[in-house]
Amino acid sequence: MVRKFLILMLALAASSASAQEDYEWEAILVHSELPLYNFAWDEFWPRSFSDNEDDVLSFGCTSRVSFGDWRFTPHPDNEFGDTAWYRFSNYGVFHCAANALTATEREELDSGDFSRGFFAKIGTSSRQGKKFELWVFQQGFVPGSDYLLLARPVDDDGIIKVFNVLQSRCPKSNIRRSDHMDVWLTSYCSINDRTELLSFAKRMLKEPDLGRLELVPNEKGPDTEVSDPSQVSNED
């Protein structure tokens, strides 16, 4: 799986240093050798459902995270950050997954870089007295998965349409790199344990957010968001 979703995020939103002399924005790629979350994890979306009410069988995919076009807006203090666009859609009915198209402009999404993955709620934590859910977008399957760290207020109910995007300031002991590669980037953050990833996300919640990821309504027609099973077709 080509890791284009997170790679574009790093290219657009991250910088080795901001204009502020006392702060650096970091968004190194986070990678596990194997996917850390799967359908045995309760908060893993999209996922399948089936219902046999009044002897009528319905089935399909449901998600806590809206499908549609999402805009990433960088933190206002990061002058090197740029806006990016993401289009999330469901893979199918019998086999559920989140397709992702990525581009620098919304008009370019139809031909944007493609990847596939899942959203997972991995835990909770607090920042300045306010509780947050911690989420990831787990992208890719082989060889392993990449992770975008996300957060949202605990008391924000309903279908998810907004995430805070967290930084990834990797501990030195987790950084993998190959030297003597001229200008070619080889560094990434290796995390291969759920507990370690959760601890990492909790630390990143204490840092300023990398930016905001928000669903933007489609002015040309209905959004492609999925809310509950009643809104999901049983036709592939």
Side-chain angles (χ1 to χ4, degrees), residues 64-66 152 155-161:
R64 283 195 62 196
V65 180
S66 290
R152 65 189 296 269
D155 58 355
D156 187 2
D157 296 328
I159 300 303
I160 299 172
K161 299 181 180 181

Side-chain angles (χ1 to χ4, degrees), residues 170-199:
C170 187
K172 292 182 179 179
S173 59
N174 293 77
I175 294 178
R176 303 291 181 267
R177 66 162 58 93
S178 177
D179 295 327
H180 309 296
M181 289 293 292
D182 192 28
V183 299
W184 311 113
L185 179 67
T186 64
S187 300
Y188 70 94
C189 187
S190 177
I191 296 181
N192 293 293
D193 178 83
R194 290 175 178 173
T195 300
E196 188 175 10
L197 184 61
L198 176 58
S199 296

Side-chain angles (χ1 to χ4, degrees), residues 32-180:
S32 64
E33 295 179 357
L34 291 171
L36 296 179
Y37 303 93
N38 51 42
F39 288 111
W41 190 259
D42 288 340
E43 291 278 6
F44 190 71
W45 309 95
R47 62 193 301 128
S48 61
F49 77 93
S50 62
D51 185 25
N52 193 1
E53 184 176 354
D54 298 327
D55 295 325
V56 177
L57 176 65
S58 61
F59 59 90
C61 297
T62 184
S63 176
R64 283 195 62 196
V65 180
S66 290
F67 292 149
D69 291 355
W70 292 62
R71 179 177 57 214
F72 170 76
T73 305
H75 192 289
D77 290 342
N78 183 4
E79 67 173 282
F80 294 98
D82 289 309
T83 299
W85 286 87
Y86 307 93
R87 175 170 293 162
F88 297 112
S89 61
N90 186 53
Y91 169 76
V93 173
F94 297 102
H95 304 287
C96 307
N99 294 333
L101 290 167
T102 311
T104 56
E105 302 289 342
R106 189 175 194 175
E107 294 74 15
E108 300 171 353
L109 280 172
D110 287 339
S111 57
D113 293 329
F114 176 81
S115 65
R116 181 174 290 136
F118 296 87
F119 292 91
K121 176 188 170 184
I122 65 172
T124 60
S125 189
S126 298
R127 178 172 64 188
Q128 298 177 345
K130 187 173 183 179
K131 292 185 177 180
F132 285 83
E133 296 177 351
L134 296 173
W135 287 71
V136 294
F137 180 67
Q138 176 177 278
Q139 176 198 6
F141 305 89
V142 177
S145 298
D146 301 328
Y147 295 86
L148 183 66
L149 305 181
L150 306 166
R152 65 189 296 269
V154 167
D155 58 355
D156 187 2
D157 296 328
I159 300 303
I160 299 172
K161 299 181 180 181
V162 178
F163 280 116
N164 298 338
V165 180
L166 305 182
Q167 295 189 65
S168 52
R169 192 181 304 278
C170 187
K172 292 182 179 179
S173 59
N174 293 77
I175 294 178
R176 303 291 181 267
R177 66 162 58 93
S178 177
D179 295 327
H180 309 296

